[in-house]
Amino acid sequence: MAEVIDEVVIPAAGLGSRMSEITKNKSSKLMLSIGDVPIISYAIDEALASGYSKIYVITNKLHEDLSYFLKKFYPMVNIIKIETTGGSAETILKAEKFISGEFFSVILPDIIIKSDIPPLSQMKNVWKNKKNILGVLHLTEEEKSFFGSCEFKKNQVKNFEDAFEIKEIKSKKDNDGDLYHARSILSNSFFNLTKELIKEKSEPDDSIVYKRMLLNEKFLGLEIKGKGFDCGNPEGYKMALKLFSN
């Protein structure tokens, strides 16, 4: 029987310092509305539309508004509350004991992607190769100024027009590339490697863990078909508001 990937982690515990001018630090940034629904809804709806039955949302205990919303409108979602947040990889690590499959997915909820086919569905079509996959957005020059980026050395993969094999991963802080990582399908080796890196360096970000994984595992990249918005950034949020209001 073919393995089915149906577990997804949504790290939603960030304090949202970039969005404090809008939230006034009174609510989670993911509870800001776009098109009459909170930002967090886009991530959960994407997971459901992509066929995921086990959805884990990691929240900060300071953001009770987010937890209340999830319990009321998405009772099928599993909420993991944490006291403090570290780097992105350390936050995802909090879901380790709940993940039972060889592979799991990650949605970065700040990044809303408007597309005909849900981004994770696009990635699952390629995942049949059973490799780690990073779903990336190709940024314009304007978008690069507030998205940040993660640059790859890549080889094109036959039979998948927008997929490529990743040969090298650079830290988000070390480059000025035009590809932004927004979604992932990862082997569960991510967890042990994150724990190793925490012992070596505090608060490792996800790109550092991927670099360590790449030493022994293959990674594919997939350019996601769709328009992305970094809604954890005031400019990206305003751009999304404009598009989704039309």
Side-chain angles (χ1 to χ4, degrees):
M1 179 181 295
E3 183 177 350
V4 175
I5 181 168
D6 66 350
E7 298 171 303
V8 60
V9 177
I10 302 174
L15 296 178
S17 56
R18 293 185 299 169
M19 295 292 286
S20 60
E21 65 181 71
I22 297 174
T23 64
K24 308 302 181 185
N25 295 321
K26 293 181 179 179
S27 65
S28 167
K29 63 184 175 182
L30 297 176
M31 286 303 296
L32 293 172
S33 291
I34 293 179
D36 297 326
V37 297
I39 292 171
I40 188 63
S41 289
Y42 290 92
I44 298 172
D45 291 345
E46 177 185 333
L48 292 170
S50 300
Y52 287 81
S53 62
K54 299 173 184 176
I55 303 171
Y56 301 97
V57 181
I58 302 172
T59 68
N60 192 307
K61 287 189 175 181
L62 295 175
H63 293 152
E64 287 300 326
D65 56 334
L66 177 57
S67 295
Y68 175 81
F69 174 81
L70 293 173
K71 289 176 182 177
K72 182 174 181 180
F73 294 101
Y74 294 98
M76 76 294 289
V77 165
N78 302 283
I79 301 172
I80 303 171
K81 289 188 178 183
I82 63 175
E83 295 281 356
T84 58
T85 59
S88 55
E90 190 173 353
T91 299
I92 296 168
L93 178 61
K94 303 297 184 182
E96 178 185 19
K97 66 180 181 180
F98 301 97
I99 301 299
S100 60
E102 183 182 355
F103 286 83
F104 69 101
S105 297
V106 177
I107 293 176
L108 300 181
D110 291 4
I111 312 301
I112 291 179
I113 302 174
K114 187 174 180 63
S115 59
D116 294 331
I117 301 173
L120 279 184
S121 290
Q122 296 178 41
M123 294 170 65
K124 286 173 77 174
N125 289 335
V126 178
W127 177 76
K128 295 171 184 177
N129 288 311
K130 288 196 174 181
K131 293 183 177 70
N132 299 288
I133 302 176
L134 301 183
V136 299
L137 296 167
H138 200 138
L139 305 181
T140 65
E141 287 300 318
E142 179 186 8
E143 291 169 336
K144 284 166 64 174
S145 65
F146 55 83
F147 256 95
S149 59
C150 188
E151 188 172 55
F152 313 108
K153 284 190 176 179
K154 58 187 183 180
N155 290 334
Q156 208 67 23
V157 176
K158 292 181 179 179
N159 302 323
F160 292 102
E161 180 182 352
D162 298 299
F164 51 89
E165 185 172 359
I166 296 172
K167 293 297 186 180
E168 181 182 349
I169 298 174
K170 295 183 179 180
S171 169
K172 294 175 183 177
K173 298 178 181 179
D174 294 338
N175 73 88
D176 58 355
D178 59 1
L179 296 177
Y180 187 87
H181 156 238
R183 305 288 187 266
S184 309
I185 296 178
L186 303 169
S187 76
N188 57 25
S189 68
F190 175 92
F191 298 120
N192 283 334
L193 290 173
T194 298
K195 286 184 280 190
E196 288 179 13
L197 284 163
I198 289 172
K199 292 178 181 178
E200 300 170 14
K201 179 182 178 181
S202 62
E203 299 190 6
D205 70 31
D206 46 11
S207 64
I208 294 174
V209 182
Y210 301 155
K211 288 174 69 174
R212 184 68 63 90
M213 292 173 71
L214 191 59
L215 295 175
N216 297 301
E217 302 178 41
K218 289 189 175 181
F219 268 81
L220 295 181
L222 180 71
E223 290 192 27
I224 294 170
K225 292 184 172 71
K227 175 69 173 175
F229 302 89
D230 181 1
C231 295
N233 179 296
E235 291 304 314
Y237 174 68
K238 292 171 186 176
M239 289 175 66
L241 279 176
K242 184 180 297 185
L243 180 70
F244 282 84
S245 65
N246 294 333

